[in-house]
Amino acid sequence: MAEIKVKYGREKVEVKVPDSNLINVLESKTITDEVAEEHIIKEALENPIGSRRLKEMVKKGEKICIVISDITRAWQRMSVYLPYIVEELKEAGVQDEDIIFISATGSHRNQTEEEHRMLLGDKLTERFKVIDHVSTNEEDLEYVGTTSFGTPVHINKLALKCDHIILTGAIIYHFLAGWGGGRKSILPGISGYRTIMTNHALSLSPEIGGGTKKNVKSGSIENNPIHLDMMEAAALVKPTFMFNALMGSNGKIRAAVAGDYIKAFEKGCGMVDEYDAAEIHELADIVVGSACGYPKDINLYQTSKTFFNVRETVKKGGTIIIMSQCSEGFGNEEMKDIMINYDDNSKRETSLREDYSIAKHIGYIMCEAAVNYNIILVSDMEPDILKKCNIKVVKNVDEALDIAYALSGKDAKVYVMPNGANTLPKLKRCLAPTDFCR
């Protein structure tokens, strides 16, 4: 009997699976040689990909805009790497008064002064202020062109007035754009609300009832309209330089890329795949995935990252078990509304198309998946709250596994994903068609 400890809320619980049922425990690659974050950051800045060093691209008297992520991405440890970027600018002769920090809030809320301090760190906060981008303030936006996908691109005026725009952030898997980081600092980061929603709506099939386009998913950029549209928007802005971190399972920076925002981003995506993709050779009947505990399992909205990963391991008709305490419930009212106030997916899709939002789309995708999979949520949420979505809520993983075995049989094959939010399973392609190849 395999006993795998996984995080649930602030605790760890055991997932018990008979050895004869367990295919594998899927995890990101373990960090064996931990390198100091300072060394990683300096190494990336001193060896940019596809460009000269930042200090060789700027000069005294020029205005610099550094685009940083918002508080929802505080895990990127911006306060650790931003001082090194500022030091590069200082070495080029750039003065503090010529540097502005704009937070790429996208369509998120404004932030508090304390949150700004968390982003910059104490020392940089003494020297600089953070300007929150507000996507709905049309007077603060400037139209720069329209993409081939028909997205009108409106960008923060303050950023456009600068001589150089530097993108920062982190590269991780993203359920719509394939990967986060890179061009996302522009769109949605510092784009207008209409620009953001037009871009994200490209994820839906043209015809009602078609649902989400098949290439719009984690780890997918080929023929992914969300990604391609974002790239076109970034090209209209022409960022000078990019620095993106890659995070380890220990919460620290384990690698970084810098340089040209296209070439460095491509390199970083490949590195994320190297670290966080788990190759599988068959699809399971059952998968048990942890949302990595608190705070990543604080609500169902955050848990969606786990859902998008674990579903890649299961046969249609199989069972997805997600362990997420969700102590704060849904975490988003729009997501809650689309999941519990409609009784079928056609109505949900109509609502999504009429008034698109990312939160509504996440809720819709989970309900859409419940048509093809048995979804069980191990959670503190009320047992019947997701009944209309065909998602069953139970209180412990043993109960969930009992239900799953009853559905798939006592010999059902199982994967366990202790870090479901961070690990993306990828099915190895076969030369000849089998039950396990797609």
Side-chain angles (χ1 to χ4, degrees), residues 235-412:
L236 292 170
V237 176
K238 298 182 177 64
T240 298
F241 196 82
M242 183 195 90
F243 176 94
N244 272 190
L246 282 71
M247 310 306 295
S249 57
N250 60 359
K252 293 185 177 181
I253 298 170
R254 68 175 166 196
V257 291
D260 176 77
Y261 80 95
I262 298 175
K263 294 178 180 178
F265 175 70
E266 289 175 351
K267 175 71 173 177
C269 291
M271 293 168 69
V272 170
D273 252 351
E274 181 184 343
Y275 296 142
D276 292 332
E279 187 176 277
I280 60 175
H281 297 270
E282 61 180 295
L283 298 178
D285 302 297
I286 302 167
V287 61
V288 182
S290 165
C292 302
Y294 183 88
K296 290 189 176 182
D297 74 348
I298 194 170
N299 57 49
L300 192 60
Y301 183 78
Q302 292 299 322
T303 302
S304 62
K305 298 169 185 175
T306 301
F307 167 76
F308 294 126
N309 289 343
V310 301
R311 69 173 176 172
E312 296 297 313
T313 67
V314 189
K315 301 173 185 177
K316 283 190 176 179
T319 302
I320 296 171
I321 299 172
I322 297 178
M323 301 179 62
S324 180
Q325 189 174 38
C326 298
S327 58
E328 294 186 2
F330 285 89
N332 183 283
E333 286 301 313
E334 289 183 316
M335 180 186 187
K336 179 180 179 180
D337 173 71
I338 203 166
M339 294 186 80
I340 71 172
N341 290 336
Y342 297 90
D343 53 15
D344 68 66
N345 284 340
S346 62
K347 293 176 182 176
R348 291 187 179 99
E349 185 178 344
T350 299
S351 172
L352 179 62
R353 289 176 182 274
E354 288 176 349
D355 184 21
Y356 184 92
S357 77
I358 296 172
K360 288 174 71 173
H361 196 172
I362 290 173
Y364 169 73
I365 291 177
M366 294 184 76
C367 295
E368 185 182 39
V371 175
N372 296 314
Y373 306 96
N374 306 303
I375 302 178
I376 305 174
L377 180 67
V378 180
S379 172
D380 286 355
M381 294 179 75
E382 292 298 320
D384 293 331
I385 198 163
L386 296 173
K387 193 172 182 179
K388 286 186 178 180
C389 309
N390 293 319
I391 296 174
K392 191 169 187 62
V393 181
V394 300
K395 294 301 180 185
N396 61 73
V397 69
D398 292 335
E399 182 183 354
L401 281 167
D402 286 343
I403 295 169
Y405 287 130
L407 291 167
S408 298
K410 62 181 176 132
D411 297 324

Side-chain angles (χ1 to χ4, degrees), residues 67-341:
V67 182
I68 64 173
S69 299
D70 70 1
I71 197 64
T72 65
R73 306 292 190 269
W75 49 264
Q76 294 177 3
R77 293 175 65 77
M78 288 161 271
S79 62
V80 175
Y81 64 70
L82 286 174
Y84 294 96
I85 294 173
V86 172
E87 184 60 30
E88 277 267 323
L89 296 173
K90 183 178 178 181
E91 288 180 19
V94 177
Q95 304 298 305
D96 282 6
E97 58 265 28
D98 290 328
I99 300 172
I100 63 170
F101 286 87
I102 296 182
S103 181
T105 55
S107 58
H108 298 171
R109 64 166 173 82
N110 284 355
Q111 299 160 106
T112 66
E113 288 186 12
E114 183 56 33
E115 286 171 335
H116 287 165
R117 179 173 289 274
M118 290 173 64
L119 299 179
L120 290 189
D122 291 337
K123 290 185 178 180
L124 289 187
T125 299
E126 293 173 4
R127 298 165 56 188
F128 303 100
K129 289 185 178 180
V130 176
I131 301 165
D132 285 335
H133 169 72
V134 182
S135 65
T136 53
N137 283 359
E138 295 189 5
E139 63 273 17
D140 295 334
L141 304 171
E142 182 176 324
Y143 171 73
V144 295
T146 298
T147 70
S148 65
F149 293 88
T151 301
V153 181
H154 295 84
I155 301 294
N156 188 290
K157 280 182 181 178
L158 279 177
L160 294 175
K161 286 179 180 178
C162 292
D163 298 293
H164 300 279
I165 296 177
I166 300 169
L167 309 182
T168 68
I171 301 174
I172 58 170
Y173 292 117
H174 189 274
F175 82 103
L176 289 180
W179 276 274
R183 73 287 186 237
K184 279 187 90 258
S185 291
I186 300 296
L187 174 57
I190 57 170
S191 295
Y193 187 80
R194 181 185 169 201
T195 302
I196 297 167
M197 294 305 138
T198 304
N199 168 263
H200 288 2
L202 292 170
S203 57
L204 295 172
S205 298
E207 69 284 355
I208 293 178
T212 306
K213 293 176 182 174
K214 65 178 182 178
N215 290 325
V216 175
K217 60 181 182 178
S218 294
S220 170
I221 55 176
E222 186 176 354
N223 297 322
N224 183 335
I226 303 295
H227 162 72
L228 297 173
D229 194 49
M230 288 177 175
M231 291 298 291
E232 288 190 28
L236 292 170
V237 176
K238 298 182 177 64
T240 298
F241 196 82
M242 183 195 90
F243 176 94
N244 272 190
L246 282 71
M247 310 306 295
S249 57
N250 60 359
K252 293 185 177 181
I253 298 170
R254 68 175 166 196
V257 291
D260 176 77
Y261 80 95
I262 298 175
K263 294 178 180 178
F265 175 70
E266 289 175 351
K267 175 71 173 177
C269 291
M271 293 168 69
V272 170
D273 252 351
E274 181 184 343
Y275 296 142
D276 292 332
E279 187 176 277
I280 60 175
H281 297 270
E282 61 180 295
L283 298 178
D285 302 297
I286 302 167
V287 61
V288 182
S290 165
C292 302
Y294 183 88
K296 290 189 176 182
D297 74 348
I298 194 170
N299 57 49
L300 192 60
Y301 183 78
Q302 292 299 322
T303 302
S304 62
K305 298 169 185 175
T306 301
F307 167 76
F308 294 126
N309 289 343
V310 301
R311 69 173 176 172
E312 296 297 313
T313 67
V314 189
K315 301 173 185 177
K316 283 190 176 179
T319 302
I320 296 171
I321 299 172
I322 297 178
M323 301 179 62
S324 180
Q325 189 174 38
C326 298
S327 58
E328 294 186 2
F330 285 89
N332 183 283
E333 286 301 313
E334 289 183 316
M335 180 186 187
K336 179 180 179 180
D337 173 71
I338 203 166
M339 294 186 80
I340 71 172
N341 290 336

